Amino acid sequence: MPILGQNQYGKAETRVVKITRDGATHHVKDLNVSVSLSGDMDEVHYSGSNASVLPTDTTKNTVYAFAKEHGIESAEQFGIHLARHFVTSQESIHRARVRVEEYAWDRIEHAGEGAHSFARRGQEVRLAQITYDGEAWEVVSGLKDLVVMNSTDSEFWGYVKDKYTTLPEAYDRVLATEVSARWRFRWTGDGQQAPDWEESYARTRQHILRAFAETYSLSLQQTLYRMGARVIDHRGEIDEIRFSLPNKHHFLVDLKPFGLKNDNEVYFAADRPYGLIEATVLRDGCEARIPVDLTNL
């Protein structure tokens, strides 16, 4: 006899922009919110009874209403407000997972009165996932699409070679990647003081970038570890960080046919295929919980 397994439902990718007007100065929060709910939902699958189902349209409306009622202090705090509401207000809902993408805007300074002009900041996206089951919280933050490059201080040599190896050893190469990272907080509620989410994100991002810039790299794996280790060493609120780093290869162009010498100056930026380096860095004694496949987080 078939039985129902794990299931959830909700409203995905609700786009909400909250403008806070502080006199003539405005502040913008631009989010993409996905809500997933699970609990006592057997009957809607077996018989079609909707008696325990909160409509997904209601979850969408709740996102908009909470943007007004609670404001958006941070992606994490907004997700916490939503997850708590769904679990505590509906008897049939036992677990809520809220995923948030945040798109950053930089203020454009201008001569007129007020500060209300903005430009979208690059392609980097801030991420948060909040999970609540009525007792414990799990908060995972992160970022994606952060493209970084070192134009020197990177080597790659001494690797295994077989009859199919054609890659020449490199003692001065370009190292570039598009950082996708998730980090899990040790905070689980239960009377603990929550981190300052905005400060934590800014500092964690800064440590990732500093480690990338300051590591003389012999491999992208080494750089990844240094990035994660620096975060664990400097951010006591974080127990685990996972990276997925595609190696954005830059190959020297052969200029000899044109009678020119290429002294590490002209490169071909290849978009595919690419090496993909992934790993988790943990605080000693902590258990890994972030999924290996970051696309599922």
Side-chain angles (χ1 to χ4, degrees):
M1 174 181 177
I3 60 171
L4 180 67
Q6 191 275 335
N7 62 88
Q8 65 276 326
Y9 79 104
K11 187 70 87 177
E13 299 198 48
T14 298
R15 293 284 281 107
V16 56
V17 176
K18 175 67 166 64
I19 298 174
T20 302
R21 290 168 167 80
D22 183 12
T25 300
H26 295 179
H27 306 274
V28 174
K29 284 289 188 180
D30 185 354
L31 306 183
N32 189 18
V33 182
S34 295
V35 176
S36 183
L37 308 174
S38 57
D40 184 13
M41 300 294 163
D42 287 4
E43 274 308 309
V44 68
H45 291 87
Y46 289 138
S47 69
S49 170
N50 294 312
S52 297
V53 175
L54 183 72
T56 65
D57 189 69
T58 303
T59 68
K60 174 204 69 178
N61 293 341
T62 305
V63 170
Y64 293 133
F66 271 41
K68 170 63 177 177
E69 294 174 353
H70 298 279
I72 302 176
E73 177 184 330
S74 67
E76 291 84 358
Q77 192 60 50
F78 190 63
I80 287 170
H81 283 314
L82 288 169
R84 180 187 291 115
H85 166 78
F86 290 123
V87 172
T88 59
S89 67
Q90 301 297 325
E91 185 177 350
S92 61
I93 296 173
H94 303 161
R95 184 176 183 268
R97 184 191 68 209
V98 181
R99 290 175 172 169
V100 183
E101 295 184 351
E102 179 175 348
Y103 312 112
W105 293 81
D106 290 324
R107 195 178 303 282
I108 300 173
E109 303 300 335
H110 55 84
E113 292 185 3
H116 54 263
S117 300
F118 302 85
R120 176 77 175 267
R121 185 189 306 163
Q123 294 184 329
E124 176 190 339
V125 178
R126 176 175 171 175
L127 306 167
Q129 175 175 291
I130 298 86
T131 306
Y132 181 53
D133 63 3
E135 296 181 0
W137 295 89
E138 182 179 82
V139 179
V140 177
S141 296
L143 55 82
K144 66 177 182 178
D145 304 331
L146 176 60
V147 179
V148 294
M149 179 176 72
N150 282 332
S151 57
T152 190
D153 287 352
S154 175
E155 304 178 13
F156 188 59
W157 53 272
Y159 42 81
V160 173
K161 301 178 182 68
D162 66 13
K163 64 180 182 179
Y164 302 112
T165 301
T166 60
L167 184 72
E169 294 187 333
Y171 296 88
D172 184 6
R173 68 169 183 168
V174 169
L175 181 67
T177 188
E178 184 175 288
V179 180
S180 180
R182 310 288 189 275
W183 51 90
R184 178 175 55 82
F185 291 89
R186 66 173 46 189
W187 181 79
T188 58
D190 194 25
Q192 299 171 297
Q193 167 131 17
D196 182 330
W197 306 111
E198 294 288 278
E199 174 75 7
S200 181
Y201 178 83
R203 295 302 181 192
T204 301
R205 180 183 184 278
Q206 182 182 61
H207 286 304
I208 290 172
L209 292 177
R210 286 283 299 274
F212 179 83
E214 295 176 4
T215 299
Y216 190 104
S217 180
L218 299 177
S219 67
L220 186 52
Q221 287 92 330
Q222 176 199 21
T223 298
L224 180 155
Y225 178 75
R226 295 283 178 85
M227 292 159 69
R230 183 178 177 112
V231 170
I232 296 297
D233 285 342
H234 288 83
R235 303 307 305 177
E237 73 274 24
I238 294 172
D239 277 346
E240 174 187 3
I241 182 166
R242 179 161 183 82
F243 291 97
S244 180
L245 304 181
N247 197 336
K248 300 180 78 68
H249 300 296
H250 287 65
F251 298 112
L252 281 169
V253 176
D254 183 7
L255 300 179
K256 293 177 184 175
F258 319 119
L260 300 172
K261 180 181 179 181
N262 193 353
D263 190 16
N264 291 343
E265 295 175 288
V266 180
Y267 295 85
F268 165 64
D271 64 345
R272 64 196 63 183
Y274 53 85
L276 183 60
I277 312 303
E278 300 176 300
T280 300
V281 182
L282 298 161
R283 191 172 302 282
D284 191 20
C286 292
E287 177 185 355
R289 297 182 194 167
I290 298 175
V292 170
D293 183 3
L294 295 186
T295 61
N296 288 327
L297 177 58

